[in-house]
Amino acid sequence: MQPEPLNLPIEASIAYSDKKGNYKKGIEKRQQKTLSKVTPLLSRILEPDEKILMAAKACSPMGFFEPLGMGAWAYYFKRCILVLTDRRILHLPTKTDYAHRDSVAEIRFGDLDSVKSASFLGYSFTFQYKNGKKERFAKVQSADYKRFKDALDARLVASGLKPTTAMGRVHLCPRYVKPLSEGVYSCPKCHLAFKDMATARKWSILLPGGGYFYTGQAGFGILDALMETFLIVMLVLIALGIDDSPDAAATLGVIAIALVFEKLITIMHAGHRIKEFLPAEKVMQAVPVRPGQSNRPLTP
């Protein structure tokens, strides 16, 4: 392999070729553009001699109620990049511009029980894991959907790997590159701290839009702050001028319920983002990896 411009070990014969195996300049440019968004993160987490087969933009799995209060915008704020390697699928939650957030999860081929693809209302992959759980990655980039599916199917047939103890998707420390435990917001090895649910809940209650700001969703934080501030002002104004009429009391009750409902939605959305293990501090940068080099990060 020739060194890649991104200094990543990319398997060009797969990443830059169409379904017939023919090299296409347009595919190379698209893949390079996608991978450039997450190159600093990949340079730290790739294993020695691991090869990137291709990448595709997508949307992270969502809970049933997660779109509540967001609608179609939920897909915008759940953007991610799926990176297929010769060993696993790397799930990289991103910002709205697809820049990495130092959040990473992996799906080992041996932990996949089945993969179902669909094209209804957008392309998607549904992964069934050996632990019985199922997750759907929606809004997969249409230009790379079929190639990603074919490359993944080929790896699953050829891998023959046994399942790991995780038996499903598991988040990794972006610095030490070891599995993290759900609900434990610190890496047990390097002690990297992650944003936690208790703090997210606290700021969601105390500050209008606080949960969104804390989890890096500034756009929704501003909108939520405006809505909550309006409800609080209305609540105070009516409370100060309240009388014994049934209408005034009813209006006060409706606004109070709306404010509580708004807070609960903020807490729910912040909670879903917290589960992606967002570092609470800057992650040490690693030297870009080159084919054949070890990419393990330096231990602080």
Side-chain angles (χ1 to χ4, degrees):
M1 283 182 60
Q2 295 297 319
E4 298 294 335
L6 295 178
N7 289 322
L8 292 174
I10 301 172
E11 189 63 65
S13 62
I14 297 175
Y16 304 152
S17 301
D18 62 17
K19 60 182 180 181
K20 295 182 179 180
N22 298 319
Y23 165 79
K24 298 292 183 182
K25 183 66 176 178
I27 294 178
E28 179 183 9
K29 291 178 64 176
R30 185 170 66 249
Q31 285 290 302
Q32 291 272 341
K33 183 177 180 180
T34 299
L35 288 168
S36 68
K37 295 287 188 177
V38 292
T39 295
L41 180 56
L42 286 173
S43 68
R44 294 197 302 268
I45 64 176
L46 286 175
E47 298 174 346
D49 301 319
E50 184 175 16
K51 300 295 190 295
I52 295 173
L53 304 185
M54 66 174 301
K57 296 174 181 177
C59 176
S60 297
M62 285 193 290
F64 183 79
F65 293 105
E66 195 167 352
L68 186 65
M70 282 190 173
W73 284 99
Y75 294 101
Y76 185 73
F77 286 96
K78 294 286 287 187
R79 284 179 167 178
C80 72
I81 291 177
L82 297 176
V83 179
L84 179 66
T85 78
D86 57 348
R87 304 175 188 181
R88 54 185 172 164
I89 302 169
L90 291 170
H91 166 222
L92 311 178
T94 67
K95 301 176 183 178
T96 55
D97 62 351
Y98 291 106
H100 74 90
R101 300 173 57 88
D102 274 323
S103 173
V104 56
E106 70 170 9
I107 304 168
R108 293 283 176 173
F109 292 148
D111 294 331
L112 278 170
D113 195 44
S114 65
V115 178
K116 294 183 179 179
S117 56
S119 57
F120 180 69
L121 296 179
Y123 297 102
S124 66
F125 293 120
T126 299
F127 297 144
Q128 177 76 51
Y129 305 120
K130 294 289 178 63
N131 60 13
K133 293 183 179 180
K134 184 186 297 185
E135 290 183 318
R136 178 174 177 265
F137 289 82
K139 304 297 181 183
V140 179
Q141 188 176 21
S142 58
D144 293 312
Y145 165 78
K146 186 65 168 61
R147 295 191 315 113
F148 195 99
K149 177 182 180 300
D150 291 343
L152 175 58
D153 289 344
R155 296 310 303 177
L156 292 178
V157 170
S159 66
L161 298 175
K162 295 181 179 179
T164 67
T165 55
M167 300 182 73
R169 182 170 65 97
V170 61
H171 280 273
L172 305 176
C173 171
R175 184 163 64 190
Y176 196 74
V177 202
K178 293 295 183 182
L180 298 169
S181 299
E182 185 176 352
V184 179
Y185 304 109
S186 176
C187 175
K189 298 295 183 179
C190 71
H191 306 295
L192 175 66
F194 297 89
K195 296 183 179 182
D196 63 274
M197 191 60 222
T199 306
R201 189 181 296 112
K202 179 187 72 175
W203 287 118
S204 296
I205 294 173
L206 297 179
L207 181 68
Y212 293 112
F213 290 120
Y214 179 66
T215 55
Q217 302 176 83
F220 253 93
I222 293 172
L223 294 176
D224 187 60
L226 291 174
M227 176 60 71
E228 286 191 28
T229 301
F230 172 77
L231 292 174
I232 292 172
V233 170
M234 292 297 295
L235 195 66
V236 171
L237 291 177
I238 294 176
L240 291 176
I242 194 170
D243 54 27
D244 295 330
S245 67
D247 291 343
T251 301
L252 187 67
V254 169
I255 294 177
I257 291 173
L259 182 59
V260 170
F261 185 68
E262 187 76 16
K263 291 288 188 184
L264 290 175
I265 291 179
T266 302
I267 292 173
M268 179 188 68
H269 288 160
H272 282 290
R273 187 55 70 95
I274 288 295
K275 291 179 180 179
E276 294 180 343
F277 285 94
L278 307 174
E281 57 190 85
K282 186 175 181 180
V283 179
M284 178 185 64
Q285 296 297 311
V287 176
V289 121
R290 291 176 174 80
Q293 288 185 329
S294 172
N295 59 328
R296 289 300 183 187
L298 300 176
T299 304

